[in-house]
Amino acid sequence: MARPEVLDRIKEAEREADEIVAEAEADRDERISEARERADDIREQARAEADEMEEERLAEARAGIEEERESILEAGRTERAELEAQAREREPEVVAEVLDRFKEAVHAQT
């Protein structure tokens, strides 16, 4: 083979190698870009799922707090009713005691 033909073949091989490298680099860049997009999608999906879980847990916690609140209020109502009943039972005794003290105070002044 003549020297010019060898040089032409070498140049052609180098050009083909450059094209292969350029295609590989473009393919690499495209894959990296796709991977980054996919990673962004995965992060966004994970963030959305975390937000959803947070809302569910908050809702459960609020429901539990509301249930406990109602239980405390009901216990308070029951205790209040019992105290009112006890006070009503003692009312005649207290009225009599107040009247006795009033009478004593009036007699002490006369």
Side-chain angles (χ1 to χ4, degrees):
M1 217 187 291
R3 230 176 184 193
E5 288 178 16
V6 172
L7 287 174
D8 287 342
R9 287 185 70 194
I10 291 172
K11 286 181 184 179
E12 181 63 25
E14 286 176 347
R15 188 186 59 72
E16 288 176 9
D18 288 344
E19 286 178 9
I20 290 170
V21 169
E23 286 178 17
E25 287 175 349
D27 187 46
R28 178 200 64 201
D29 292 344
E30 184 178 332
R31 287 178 187 221
I32 288 171
S33 177
E34 288 173 359
R36 285 184 177 143
E37 287 177 16
R38 186 153 190 263
D40 288 343
D41 290 345
I42 290 169
R43 275 193 296 273
E44 185 60 36
Q45 183 179 1
R47 194 173 297 120
E49 288 174 6
D51 289 345
E52 186 177 326
M53 286 178 63
E54 177 186 20
E55 286 300 319
E56 288 174 6
R57 287 183 178 171
L58 282 173
E60 290 172 4
R62 286 183 182 121
I65 290 169
E66 183 61 26
E67 187 176 310
E68 185 176 349
R69 177 183 170 274
E70 284 301 318
S71 175
I72 291 168
L73 288 173
E74 184 56 36
R77 288 196 246 342
T78 300
E79 186 176 350
R80 182 188 70 211
E82 290 171 2
L83 289 172
E84 286 174 350
Q86 289 173 2
R88 271 189 242 104
E89 288 176 11
R90 293 190 58 209
E91 187 177 345
E93 178 185 327
V94 171
V95 168
E97 179 68 24
V98 169
L99 284 175
D100 287 344
R101 288 185 184 190
F102 178 75
K103 288 176 186 177
E104 287 175 12
V106 168
H107 288 307
Q109 289 182 357
T110 56

